[in-house]
Amino acid sequence: MSLLKIGVIPGDGVGPEVTEVGLKVLEKVAARDGLAYELTHFDLGGERFLKTGEVLPAGEQDRLRGCDVILLGAVGHPGVPPGVLEKGVLLKLRFDFHQYINLRPVRLFPGAPCPVTGKGPEQIDMVVVRENNEDLYVGAGGFTYKGTPEEVAIQTSMNTRAGVERCIRYAFEAARRRGEKGAFAGLSDADRARGYTRQVTLVAKTNVLTFAHDLWQRAFNEVAADYPDVKPSYMHVDACCMRMVTNPEWFDVIVTTNMFGDIITDLGAVLQGGMGLAASGNLNPDKTAPSMFEPVHGSAPDIAGKGIANPLAAVLSVAMMLDHVGASASGDRVRQAVAAVLAAGSPRTPDLGGKATTREVGDAVLAALG
Ligand code: NAD
Ligand code: IPM
Ligand code: MN
């Protein structure tokens, strides 16, 4: 493989702490598997904004565009008004680079703590395909009479037929790619007799959002017709939250809107052991611009600077990046190393009930890589 150009945005809070570990893991697996890469670091985030007023200068965005992939820690700073960095860096890159899929696997590794009694790795293994370029996130809206008693604030959810359809189609393809999934209770014997081997569940709110989610439902029905081996199902988002806790084994692939996907994947993170374990990829499946890999969690200001953030979400995001660039054997190796550390029971950062530091957990992953 030719030289892989990786842009790195460590960002704010625990972002740099967990990214450092992710990069060490990358270094080791790349050396082992003969993967050549070059890193370019980008100093973006709260400290820079406070010093210079800059959020994402155009020249730097151009240089990011020139990378093959991007690895991001987190952005968000207690001293910066909410939204400045989140919209100015993270969402801007997701939108401008057409990363229209946010892929968020929810998989409980053996040994990782699950807060739901009676549910284990056999029950918790699903993938959330979150639409990543539309909905309430487009920033459409505004104020009138701001700051007065008559104030009006409007924020509009934008859903395009093309944007929704490409996301749903990705979800059906992702379902097919999942291969033989373990225990999966979403299919009855009758379903299997009909030839269904997977399931995609549309999670929306068609009973209230009768315009936007009507479009989603119709697009979903049409795309589903192209995948006779995949069972299409539907669940309202509120019921989905309940079901993810009571019957996580029921889910295979979920496809959902940007806003709902944000919310249910924090719930999904908890099912798989917490924010410290949830990885994600912002994908541009057409590869017209770089895709970006990051933990689901944020900058965690409450634990930043203490060296105790769990680095495994960042490490698993590196694994997703390796998958994306066609090095899934290396990605698997990284996941196996994480699995080995979790199965061993220690070291663990405090979020998993341990006393270890970020670096100690990172070193254990490096050791497990052999
Ligand atoms: P958060 O994910 O940063 O933190 C939520 C809770 O999870 C906190 O108690 C935190 O300590 C814990 N946590 C998060 N990551 C952890 C890790 N690696 N190890 C151990 N514990 C971890 O969410 P928040 O507090 O709502 O947001 C903080 C800031 O991060 C905000 O500015 C927000 O906008 C931003 N944010 C950024 C991203 C991103 O860059 N992708 C994602 C979410 C939130
Ligand atoms: C996430 C985050 C972001 C989102 C924020 C920080 C803009 O919560 O990646 O889940 O809402 O998508
Ligand atoms: Mn979120």
Side-chain angles (χ1 to χ4, degrees):
M1 190 185 286
S2 58
L3 186 71
L4 183 69
K5 288 163 79 179
I6 305 175
V8 182
I9 307 173
D12 297 315
V14 300
E17 303 171 35
V18 300
T19 302
E20 177 189 306
V21 172
L23 291 176
K24 276 195 202 155
V25 170
L26 173 66
E27 187 180 3
K28 182 147 188 182
V29 78
R32 186 192 184 286
D33 294 349
L35 193 74
Y37 66 94
E38 136 198 306
L39 300 178
T40 309
H41 277 78
F42 292 84
D43 171 26
L44 300 169
E47 296 302 328
R48 173 159 181 188
F49 174 74
L50 291 172
K51 248 182 270 153
T52 68
E54 291 167 325
V55 179
L56 177 58
E60 261 149 288
Q61 187 171 350
D62 287 344
R63 285 202 293 131
L64 277 162
R65 190 185 285 280
C67 297
D68 297 310
V69 282
I70 300 167
L71 203 58
L72 181 133
V75 294
H77 189 292
V80 178
V84 171
L85 304 165
E86 292 86 344
K87 287 176 82 169
V89 179
L90 188 64
L91 299 185
K92 185 156 175 56
L93 292 175
R94 288 179 183 170
F95 278 69
D96 287 358
F97 291 171
H98 297 126
Q99 296 162 351
Y100 60 81
I101 299 296
N102 195 323
L103 190 65
R104 297 189 157 185
V106 176
R107 171 183 171 200
L108 180 68
F109 282 95
C114 175
V116 185
T117 314
K119 302 298 177 188
E122 285 290 297
Q123 285 78 32
I124 296 170
D125 182 4
M126 65 187 95
V127 175
V128 178
V129 176
R130 169 188 176 190
E131 201 290 320
N132 212 30
N133 278 177
E134 302 197 342
D135 193 13
L136 286 161
Y137 280 74
V138 296
F143 302 103
T144 31
Y145 312 120
K146 189 173 178 186
T148 73
E150 295 79 38
E151 177 166 355
V152 180
I154 295 177
Q155 193 123 20
T156 304
S157 166
M158 190 196 81
N159 298 262
T160 69
R161 170 64 202 219
V164 166
E165 181 169 332
R166 68 187 175 183
C167 175
I168 292 170
R169 202 166 282 285
Y170 184 93
F172 276 88
E173 291 291 335
R176 278 191 177 162
R177 273 199 306 272
R178 291 203 80 199
E180 273 314 305
K181 190 175 181 285
F184 163 47
L187 295 180
S188 65
D189 290 344
D191 287 333
R192 291 193 190 274
R194 284 182 61 170
Y196 291 136
T197 57
R198 317 257 178 277
Q199 174 177 250
V200 176
T201 305
L202 170 63
V203 169
K205 191 74 183 170
T206 53
N207 53 347
V208 173
L209 304 180
T210 51
F211 310 128
H213 292 191
D214 184 72
L215 183 157
W216 271 83
Q217 182 74 72
R218 281 181 284 114
F220 183 79
N221 295 345
E222 281 175 36
V223 172
D226 293 339
Y227 297 85
D229 50 326
V230 182
K231 182 184 178 187
S233 72
Y234 175 83
M235 204 177 283
H236 294 315
V237 65
D238 43 356
C240 170
C241 289
M242 190 257 320
R243 280 276 178 169
M244 280 175 72
V245 175
T246 57
N247 301 85
E249 66 280 6
W250 195 85
F251 295 99
D252 189 358
V253 174
I254 288 175
V255 63
T256 192
T257 63
N258 205 342
M259 187 77 258
F260 292 169
D262 175 46
I263 298 165
I264 68 169
T265 54
D266 265 33
L267 177 54
V270 171
L271 285 179
Q272 63 188 308
M275 297 309 292
L277 286 167
S280 77
N282 301 279
L283 309 182
N284 171 333
D286 310 323
K287 304 208 171 179
T288 54
S291 294
M292 179 165 73
F293 298 82
E294 52 164 335
V296 171
H297 66 71
S299 54
D302 53 339
I303 58 164
K306 297 183 179 161
I308 55 164
N310 189 339
L312 296 178
V315 170
L316 291 168
S317 301
V318 167
M320 290 183 75
M321 182 187 84
L322 290 165
D323 295 344
H324 178 79
V325 301
S328 58
S330 306
D332 286 342
R333 244 185 278 294
V334 171
R335 280 182 286 269
Q336 279 158 17
V338 168
V341 172
L342 287 168
S346 79
R348 290 186 172 194
T349 43
D351 56 305
L352 297 183
K355 290 198 168 71
T357 63
T358 307
R359 286 189 181 151
E360 284 164 352
V361 172
D363 290 344
V365 175
L366 292 173
L369 270 174

